């Protein structure tokens, strides 16, 4: 039995998580999924009820579960709150409390949706790439940092730091993910200029020796950015630092042209993970039954694959989504001429129908 904390959050979060719950309920009842659900509050809605975007009760539940499914947080009504009380604090608090250092961002482009990309169909159709980004260290956290007065002018500085152990653990994470995929890791750095990246590269080489079945290559980040738009299908797993991963993962996501289709995961050393769609709470469309729930349903699939060791059921979910797309059903954000446009709720129902076989 696995324990999963469900945090719908704000905006469309509640609507899309409700669809993922339909899938979980179906698999619990019919395929021995064995998932026990705990429900909690996070983000703006948590602030409204408890005065905190990350209530202690949610934090305690997070520490006692095997995984978390999160919808999204944020919204106009909380934008003027002090920084520490804003919805995003809930998310950042969970990441740091659980030490979720390994951020998995797949970029998948279903052939049925290839026309949504800004790139030519033959370049992106069938794209299936995983970016593994180090999430809790690097230049975003390095000390010293600040803006101060030097020689009569303002001077800004940040520090890019990585310890060997921080690189090792993200390396192991990437190689283990590659073992479940096509067994190729491309480590992205800037080792020709930055010492911290020299250490990154040497450490990746060393970690890679533990995974003789996985092929390791290295690429400078400028070339990687170029290759991502030139020939993205050459990559299987890309592993990189916090800063480079931030930029490259958004670039890869946009290759697919459909923000409502992309899940993500953030894992700690015990493979406890927080799974969530990459998009936000979309307050502009909240409550209208038009949000695409597929990224959230795909987040459940990732959870089964990477935290709960139930790849067979993950495959089942993935296949049912392909089936629904094959049948021509689309939410508005991924529709083209001639498609059958359906709402959030119906999309959830269609996926469950497809699961039935
Ligand atoms: P957003 O991702 O919420 O929305 C961007 C655009 O994409 C909007 O037009 C929206 O309607 C559309 N969109 C997003 N998800 C969709 C879906 N599932 N189906 C159909 N269309 C979808 O980004 P934003 O507008 O910049 O931010 C809105 C709020 O979300 C802000 O408060 C922001 O801080 C927050 N946010 C939260 C997260 C998170 O919870 N992980 C991530 C990003 C932004």
């Amino acid at each position: 039995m696995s324990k999963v904390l469900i945090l719908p959050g704000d905006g469309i979060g509640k609507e899309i998580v409700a669809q993922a719950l339909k899938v979980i309920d179906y698999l619990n009842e019919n395929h021995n999924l064995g998932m026990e659900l705990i429900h909690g509050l996070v983000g703006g809605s948590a602030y409204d009820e408890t005065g905190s975007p990350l209530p202690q009760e949610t934090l305690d539940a997070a520490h006692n579960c095997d995984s978390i499914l999160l919808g999204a947080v944020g919204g106009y009504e909380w934008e003027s709150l002090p920084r520490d009380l804003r919805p995003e604090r809930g998310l950042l608090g969970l990441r740091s409390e659980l030490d979720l250092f390994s951020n998995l961002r797949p970029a998948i482009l279903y052939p049925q949706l290839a026309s949504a990309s800004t790139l030519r169909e033959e370049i992106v159709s069938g794209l299936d790439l995983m970016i593994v980004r180090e999430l809790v260290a690097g230049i975003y956290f390095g000390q010293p940092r600040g803006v101060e007065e030097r020689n009569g002018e303002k001077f800004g500085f940040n520090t890019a730091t990585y310890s060997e152990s921080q690189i090792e653990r993200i390396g192991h994470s990437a190689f283990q993910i590659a073992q479940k995929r096509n067994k190729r890791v491309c480590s992205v750095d800037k080792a020709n200029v930055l010492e911290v990246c020299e250490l990154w590269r040497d450490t990746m080489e060393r970690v890679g020796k533990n995974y003789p079945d996985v092929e390791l290559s290295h690429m400078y980040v400028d070339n990687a950015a170029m290759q991502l738009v030139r020939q993205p299908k050459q990559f299987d797993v890309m592993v990189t630092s916090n800063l480079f991963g931030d930029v490259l993962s958004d670039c890869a996501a946009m290759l697919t042209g459909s923000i409502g289709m992309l899940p993500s995961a953030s894992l700690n050393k015990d493979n406890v993970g927080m799974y969530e769609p990459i998009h936000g709470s979309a307050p502009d469309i909240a409550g209208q039954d038009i949000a695409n729930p597929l990224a959230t349903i795909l987040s459940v699939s990732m959870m089964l694959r990477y935290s709960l060791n139930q790849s067979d059921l993950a495959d089942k979910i993935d296949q049912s989504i392909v089936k629904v797309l094959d049948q021509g059903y689309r939410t508005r954000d991924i529709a083209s001429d001639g498609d059958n446009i359906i709402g959030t709720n119906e999309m959830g129902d269609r996926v469950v129908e497809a699961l039935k076989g």
Side-chain angles (χ1 to χ4, degrees):
M1 195 81 172
S2 51
K3 249 192 210 173
V4 173
L5 174 62
I6 305 290
L7 300 174
D10 310 318
I12 60 169
K14 294 182 177 61
E15 304 161 53
I16 54 180
V17 167
Q19 309 316 309
L21 289 177
K22 288 179 187 170
V23 169
I24 292 172
D25 288 346
Y26 175 79
L27 294 176
N28 259 340
E29 282 160 25
N30 299 280
H31 290 275
N32 298 320
L33 172 64
M35 197 183 274
E36 181 193 340
L37 303 179
I38 306 154
H39 297 266
L41 291 170
V42 73
S45 47
Y47 171 79
D48 287 347
E49 276 206 30
T50 69
S52 161
L54 182 55
Q56 190 59 45
E57 207 180 335
T58 300
L59 210 46
D60 292 344
H63 278 296
N64 288 309
C65 69
D66 300 300
S67 266
I68 301 171
L69 179 68
L70 183 124
V73 298
Y76 313 128
E77 59 268 55
W78 301 289
E79 273 170 11
S80 54
L81 284 173
R83 198 164 284 278
D84 271 1
L85 295 176
R86 287 198 201 148
E88 294 72 19
R89 279 284 130 191
L91 207 62
L92 297 176
L94 281 169
R95 278 183 191 162
S96 65
E97 276 286 327
L98 298 179
D99 198 22
L100 303 173
F101 67 90
S102 177
N103 184 218
L104 276 48
R105 289 268 303 255
I108 300 167
L109 183 55
Y110 296 89
Q112 298 90 333
L113 303 179
S115 60
S117 175
T118 48
L119 295 193
R120 284 204 313 277
E121 214 166 309
E122 69 269 22
I123 308 273
V124 284
S125 182
L127 173 72
D128 180 0
L129 147 76
M130 177 73 83
I131 297 191
V132 179
R133 167 190 172 196
E134 199 292 324
L135 200 61
V136 298
I139 196 166
Y140 290 177
F141 294 89
Q143 296 288 347
R145 61 192 296 162
V147 178
E148 61 187 33
E149 196 84 10
R150 288 190 195 174
N151 301 325
E153 63 172 344
K154 279 195 177 152
F155 186 88
F157 53 99
N158 289 86
T159 312
T161 63
Y162 269 110
S163 67
E164 248 180 321
S165 58
Q166 286 169 333
I167 304 169
E168 275 167 13
R169 65 181 191 171
I170 192 71
H172 283 293
S173 191
F175 282 103
Q176 285 164 17
I177 284 157
Q179 283 182 319
K180 294 183 180 173
R181 294 172 45 97
N182 294 320
K183 301 189 170 54
R184 284 183 292 119
V185 168
C186 177
S187 170
V188 175
D189 62 39
K190 190 73 184 168
N192 49 343
V193 180
L194 301 172
E195 285 80 356
V196 63
C197 288
E198 266 177 50
L199 178 66
W200 178 280
R201 192 174 278 221
D202 292 348
T203 309
M204 281 296 162
E205 276 293 328
R206 189 159 41 71
V207 172
K209 300 243 178 332
N210 297 295
Y211 302 90
D213 53 329
V214 179
E215 178 196 312
L216 170 66
S217 61
H218 302 275
M219 197 176 272
Y220 296 134
V221 63
D222 39 353
N223 187 26
M226 203 165 74
Q227 295 299 329
L228 261 184
V229 288
R230 196 182 76 91
Q231 208 190 339
K233 284 192 271 187
Q234 70 183 280
F235 298 110
D236 177 24
V237 174
M238 250 183 182
V239 60
T240 192
S241 62
N242 204 340
L243 170 65
F244 297 158
D246 193 357
V247 179
L248 293 179
S249 61
D250 269 16
C251 175
M254 281 324 296
L255 293 176
T256 73
S258 43
I259 195 173
M261 294 295 299
L262 296 176
S264 76
S266 307
L267 304 176
N268 70 13
K269 69 174 182 7
D270 303 316
N271 277 342
V272 171
M274 182 156 78
Y275 293 82
E276 53 179 320
I278 67 157
H279 59 72
S281 57
D284 54 329
I285 59 167
Q288 299 175 35
D289 193 37
I290 54 178
N292 186 345
L294 293 179
T296 316
I297 296 174
L298 285 164
S299 300
V300 175
S301 156
M302 276 189 90
M303 179 190 294
L304 297 181
R305 204 178 294 285
Y306 294 110
S307 283
L308 305 182
N309 246 328
Q310 288 172 298
S311 296
D312 49 336
L313 291 182
D315 289 343
K316 225 175 148 39
I317 295 177
D318 295 351
Q319 286 154 11
S320 67
I321 287 176
V322 168
K323 193 168 168 190
V324 172
L325 295 176
D326 274 341
Q327 289 164 345
Y329 294 111
R330 306 277 189 274
T331 43
R332 207 182 56 167
D333 57 306
I334 51 171
S336 340
D337 290 346
D339 286 332
N340 194 349
I341 298 183
I342 59 176
T344 311
N345 259 298
E346 187 175 346
M347 185 55 99
D349 294 339
R350 293 273 169 203
V351 174
V352 172
E353 272 312 305
L355 277 171
K356 290 179 183 166

